Amino acid sequence: MAAPSEGDTASLLPDLPGGPLQAYRARASFCWKELALFLEGEDMLRLKKSIFSALEDDPLFARSRGHELSLEKHRELTFLRCKRVLGRALLRVEDMVQNPLSVLTLITCLGTYDWSLAQKFLLHLLVFGLAIYKSGSERHLEYLPKILNMEIFGCFAVTEVSHGSNAKAIRTTAHYDPATEEFILHSPDFEAAKFWVGNMGKTATHAVVFAQLYTPGGRCHGLHSFLVQIRNPKTLLPMPGVMVGDIGKKLGLNGVDNGFAMFHKVRIPRQALLNQTGDVTPEGTYVTPFKDAKQRFGASLNNLSIGRAVIVAMSVVNLKLAVSIALRFSATRRQFGPTDEEEVPVLEYQTQRWRLLPYLAAAYALDHFSKWLFLNLAEFQQGLMGTDRSTRQAELGREIHALVSGSKPLASWTAQRGIQECREACGGHGYLAVNRLGDLRNENDPNCTYEGDNNVLLQQTSGYLLGLLELRLQGGARLESPLGTVDFLEAYPDILDQRFSCPSVAGCLESSVPLAAYEWLVCYLLRESVQKVNQEKRSGISDFEARNNSQVYRCRSLALAFLELTVVRTFHEYVHQPSVPPPLRAVLRRLSALYALWSLNQHTALLYRGGYFSGEQAGKMIEDAILALCAQLKDDAVALVDVIAPPDFILDSPIGRADGELYKNLWTAVLQEGQVLERASWWAEFSASKTHVESLKSRL
């Protein structure tokens, strides 16, 4: 692709306003526009600009200040906005197929504006719609146009009141009746009610419902998905036998109507079964292309992997927004100085840089990783939808499942900690709701829970690694994987013999140093986890108990360290590729090294305990390298934020605006809140009642 002309660049990336931030921008070691073009590409920047402009130019998306919407109004507005987005066709179906990253860009752009809108759109079009497209067959294609024009509105119902992570134990049933060629969908009690289902509370007309499929004779064939109408699309009244409602206000994302549903012997046609992984003949015979029940079960829940990969990207966006706000604030907020007459920006303080710049580096590293992961997941999905049943395809599926399961915890927890640090780094102004950090914290919070509890998901990742090593030790094939994330384990014994040997702090300022340390750390934790599991088994307890007793300090740490290593490696390889423009190499490599060292520093105790580090100098060198990189990146911080920050209308934070006019913007926002200079509306009534009480007292 030819490089964009100067005019194209100006239209895609207009100059930022002058103001107090200009001093830092002038000191940057690189051109922020060049970095944005390198990271995103012209096509993706154009898509982002078109989405953001469409939102800003439409009165329906106008930001409102001065009053809070009621829960009902919030849900109504989010629904109307979702309908408007679908009507605008911001992304064509053929574009989604040709470039899967465009789908992720659309979702994250909507979320950058408002996560309730993004979630509602995502759940309807991609989770519900994609489930029908992928899990169904030709007989279900008629629903796709109805989804696109919102003739029907959908949700994805797996979770029940009493079962979330353990999907196999879901208790909703679907018994097939050959006499009428219908399934009888039933919730035996409230514990089996579908619960927490996004869009189900008020707006969904249809649901992809997961239930245990039974054929005549009482044989259960496990979890399957069914397309079920739960409301009349014209009246939104429940269908016969369906009890459906809203679960109420949440800590955040209240534009999304999470709901519940119970089914009382609801009859649905045989064709309602989404039959990609299994079907039932009119006579009641169950058929499936899968010989292995575990593989069929995994395929039936394949949509969850897509959801988890999207959550990784959502978490990264939240972190990017938070660090954008906090660093622009830090570059303009002045406190103290060498003399009483001279105050300096708080970004000049070592502590402030140490608090924020590692999270900026994490945002860059995790952003690259999330896109890399999504593209590989898209390739895997295309193979599933085609005829690829190769060994590589199966191995790719297992590797991606392990990566997705581990990256959601890493990204959502990193974002959660980072947002809190950013909130505190902005002092009292960070606590003001208008500056958005509180909303970001609340709206990122569920990323740690839905689509799989983080701690439970990490067991999937550690189980994958333990299984690979077990096969290798039994004389199996080489330790390698389609994406190469575990190939280093082939040198497992040799790596464990390695020791930290960097001679100086200067030598640590390169991400290859923590990369080698991470490989040792993962091998060490893998050995420790295997030994712990085997020790537990030798004590006579079951495999289930052995794994359960080996999670804390062993398997859980192993899974997180493996994902951190994978993020470090993918970003390291990206910033060291020859195609990186020379003016961008230094800043990108500093970001890579800072993220790697900062993440590794959390494992210092393990590095010493296992013998990789020895003597106090090793730990000190890592700490000194982190501080040195923070100092080197300080003058680039504002320009790095300019690369990832959305337009002011989208960012919606007075203390994070691009002009850096901190106090002018804050004052304007406070005035827009309304009635700030008026006496409290309740005072007159209170004063009158107080006077009445005093009058009564005087008579006594």
Side-chain angles (χ1 to χ4, degrees):
M1 183 180 68
S5 67
E6 194 171 320
D8 289 338
T9 302
S11 64
L12 282 176
L13 300 166
D15 291 337
L16 296 168
L21 289 173
Q22 198 57 39
Y24 277 103
R25 287 179 177 135
R27 297 205 293 269
S29 67
F30 66 98
C31 171
W32 73 271
K33 294 183 181 182
E34 185 180 5
L35 181 55
L37 277 166
F38 172 71
L39 293 175
E40 298 282 1
E42 185 180 353
D43 291 343
M44 215 50 65
L45 286 175
R46 201 174 300 283
L47 175 60
K48 281 187 172 184
K49 185 175 177 61
S50 69
I51 296 168
F52 289 149
S53 296
L55 298 178
E56 187 169 4
D57 295 342
D58 190 331
L60 184 62
F61 297 89
R63 300 286 193 183
S64 60
R65 299 206 188 280
H67 66 280
E68 285 192 26
L69 294 173
S70 67
L71 189 63
E72 192 73 11
K73 283 293 182 184
H74 194 177
R75 303 252 167 100
E76 177 189 0
L77 181 60
T78 305
F79 180 77
L80 292 175
R81 286 172 171 172
C82 183
K83 187 174 183 180
R84 183 67 56 85
V85 168
L86 278 165
R88 292 290 295 265
L90 295 171
L91 190 61
R92 299 177 304 171
V93 174
E94 51 265 38
D95 293 331
M96 298 184 194
V97 175
Q98 290 175 5
N99 185 359
L101 277 185
S102 62
V103 180
L104 199 63
T105 298
L106 175 58
I107 296 165
T108 54
C109 282
L110 294 176
T112 305
Y113 167 77
D114 173 32
W115 280 119
S116 285
L117 168 62
Q119 290 265 16
K120 200 161 191 66
F121 177 87
L122 168 69
L123 289 167
H124 168 65
L125 186 64
L126 291 180
V127 178
F128 173 72
L130 202 58
I132 294 172
Y133 179 65
K134 285 180 52 199
S135 301
S137 60
E138 191 173 346
R139 72 192 190 200
H140 301 105
L141 295 180
E142 64 178 281
Y143 290 97
L144 298 182
K146 298 177 182 180
I147 293 169
L148 289 171
N149 63 27
M150 280 182 68
E151 186 179 333
I152 64 175
F153 200 70
C155 60
F156 189 76
V158 181
T159 300
E160 297 179 352
V161 172
S162 63
H163 286 95
S165 298
N166 187 10
K168 283 185 179 179
I170 278 173
R171 297 174 62 241
T172 302
T173 58
H175 286 265
Y176 183 66
D177 180 359
T180 59
E181 295 189 20
E182 292 174 317
F183 286 99
I184 304 170
L185 199 64
H186 187 65
S187 309
D189 49 44
F190 176 66
E191 289 185 15
K194 295 299 179 184
F195 208 78
W196 276 113
V197 183
N199 290 348
M200 181 176 270
K202 297 288 184 182
T203 51
T205 61
H206 290 68
V208 170
V209 177
F210 282 76
Q212 305 289 352
L213 188 157
Y214 286 84
T215 48
R219 184 179 176 188
C220 179
H221 299 275
L223 208 60
H224 287 70
S225 54
F226 301 81
L227 179 58
V228 183
Q229 183 174 345
I230 58 174
R231 287 187 178 95
N232 184 314
K234 294 182 179 179
T235 65
L236 283 188
L237 293 174
M239 298 300 290
V242 180
M243 178 188 291
V244 59
D246 195 298
I247 65 173
K249 192 172 183 178
K250 309 179 293 289
L251 295 179
L253 296 172
N254 281 300
V256 180
D257 48 315
N258 291 77
F260 71 92
M262 293 184 69
F263 304 95
H264 182 69
K265 299 180 179 178
V266 175
R267 287 184 171 268
I268 57 177
R270 182 181 67 87
Q271 292 79 5
L273 171 63
L274 297 176
N275 58 335
Q276 187 68 38
T277 62
D279 205 355
V280 175
T281 66
E283 299 76 24
T285 302
Y286 179 78
V287 292
T288 178
F290 291 88
K291 295 179 180 179
D292 187 333
K294 287 184 178 180
Q295 285 186 351
R296 191 209 59 76
F297 176 74
S300 69
L301 291 176
N302 195 252
N303 256 32
L304 295 180
S305 285
I306 299 172
R308 289 165 187 160
V310 172
I311 290 171
V312 174
M314 290 163 54
S315 300
V316 173
V317 168
N318 288 331
L319 182 58
K320 289 161 75 173
L321 292 173
V323 295
S324 296
I325 294 166
L327 280 167
R328 282 179 173 171
F329 171 88
S330 299
T332 51
R333 173 77 164 178
R334 293 175 176 267
Q335 296 289 291
F336 308 107
T339 67
D340 290 343
E341 291 74 30
E342 180 188 359
E343 290 189 304
V344 299
V346 295
L347 186 55
E348 295 297 320
Y349 290 101
Q350 184 189 67
T351 303
Q352 193 80 347
R353 297 196 298 265
W354 171 77
R355 294 171 73 183
L356 296 178
L357 291 180
Y359 284 110
L360 176 64
Y364 271 83
L366 286 165
D367 186 49
H368 171 70
F369 171 79
S370 73
K371 293 170 183 174
W372 174 87
L373 179 65
F374 194 81
L375 284 173
N376 283 298
L377 177 59
E379 178 197 331
F380 172 67
Q381 296 291 337
Q382 288 171 358
L384 280 183
M385 294 168 65
T387 58
D388 190 350
R389 297 292 182 266
S390 65
T391 301
R392 183 191 181 279
Q393 175 74 358
E395 290 176 353
L396 179 62
R398 287 190 287 272
E399 184 177 17
I400 285 179
H401 177 69
L403 291 171
V404 170
S405 297
S407 58
K408 186 183 92 74
L410 176 62
S412 58
W413 278 334
T414 302
Q416 200 68 355
R417 292 193 304 269
I419 294 166
Q420 180 63 27
E421 195 68 66
C422 289
R423 206 293 299 155
E424 293 180 29
C426 292
H429 295 315
Y431 195 65
L432 200 60
V434 74
N435 288 320
R436 200 181 176 185
L437 289 166
D439 285 342
L440 288 174
R441 184 174 57 190
N442 286 345
E443 293 180 353
N444 185 78
D445 201 15
N447 290 339
C448 304
T449 301
Y450 48 38
E451 302 294 337
D453 173 83
N454 281 355
N455 283 288
V456 175
L457 285 179
L458 289 171
Q459 297 181 40
Q460 299 289 315
T461 307
S462 62
Y464 169 72
L465 296 171
L466 291 171
L468 286 177
L469 184 61
E470 185 177 353
L471 285 174
R472 185 71 179 92
L473 295 176
Q474 291 174 356
R478 286 175 55 85
L479 268 169
E480 56 186 5
S481 60
L483 301 180
T485 61
V486 301
D487 289 7
F488 72 100
L489 290 174
E490 182 64 22
Y492 168 78
D494 295 333
I495 290 174
L496 284 172
D497 289 335
Q498 294 174 5
R499 296 296 179 263
F500 181 75
S501 58
C502 191
S504 65
V505 172
C508 292
L509 303 181
E510 164 59 48
S511 48
S512 60
V513 172
L515 184 57
Y518 256 118
E519 288 188 349
W520 179 91
L521 178 64
V522 171
C523 289
Y524 171 73
L525 286 169
L526 183 54
R527 185 186 70 186
E528 292 289 296
S529 298
V530 169
Q531 288 177 351
K532 176 63 175 174
V533 171
N534 289 338
Q535 175 190 334
E536 292 292 325
K537 288 180 179 178
R538 285 195 299 270
S539 70
I541 63 176
S542 67
D543 287 358
F544 174 83
E545 289 177 296
R547 287 291 177 94
N548 182 46
N549 293 346
S550 304
Q551 293 304 314
V552 180
Y553 302 128
R554 301 315 197 283
C555 294
R556 182 184 183 276
S557 301
L558 166 65
L560 282 171
F562 172 68
L563 258 298
E564 289 166 5
L565 164 61
T566 307
V567 175
V568 167
R569 189 193 306 281
T570 54
F571 196 47
H572 169 85
E573 291 174 351
Y574 178 67
V575 303
H576 284 81
Q577 61 182 329
S579 60
V580 178
L584 305 178
R585 290 175 184 172
V587 68
L588 284 173
R589 291 176 183 183
R590 285 171 185 153
L591 287 170
S592 176
L594 178 56
Y595 173 71
L597 289 165
W598 173 73
S599 297
L600 182 69
N601 194 49
Q602 301 171 67
H603 304 288
T604 299
L606 283 172
L607 294 167
Y608 273 111
R609 190 176 80 188
Y612 187 76
F613 280 177
S614 61
E616 63 180 18
Q617 282 305 114
K620 285 183 177 180
M621 273 197 281
I622 298 297
E623 292 173 352
D624 289 344
I626 291 170
L627 295 177
L629 286 164
C630 287
Q632 291 174 12
L633 285 166
K634 182 253 298 179
D635 287 343
D636 286 330
V638 170
L640 286 167
V641 163
D642 292 338
V643 173
I644 61 175
D648 287 339
F649 171 77
I650 303 295
L651 184 61
D652 194 32
S653 175
I655 64 173
R657 291 180 66 88
D659 62 7
E661 295 288 356
L662 174 61
Y663 301 115
K664 289 181 183 178
N665 295 330
L666 195 56
W667 177 239
T668 300
V670 169
L671 289 178
Q672 286 178 343
E673 287 294 304
Q675 301 181 351
V676 293
L677 302 178
E678 298 178 13
R679 187 179 71 176
S681 59
W682 45 264
W683 178 256
E685 183 179 347
F686 173 77
S687 183
S689 64
K690 184 178 179 182
T691 303
H692 179 63
V693 170
E694 292 298 328
S695 175
L696 287 175
K697 284 183 179 179
S698 66
R699 295 177 193 174
L700 296 176

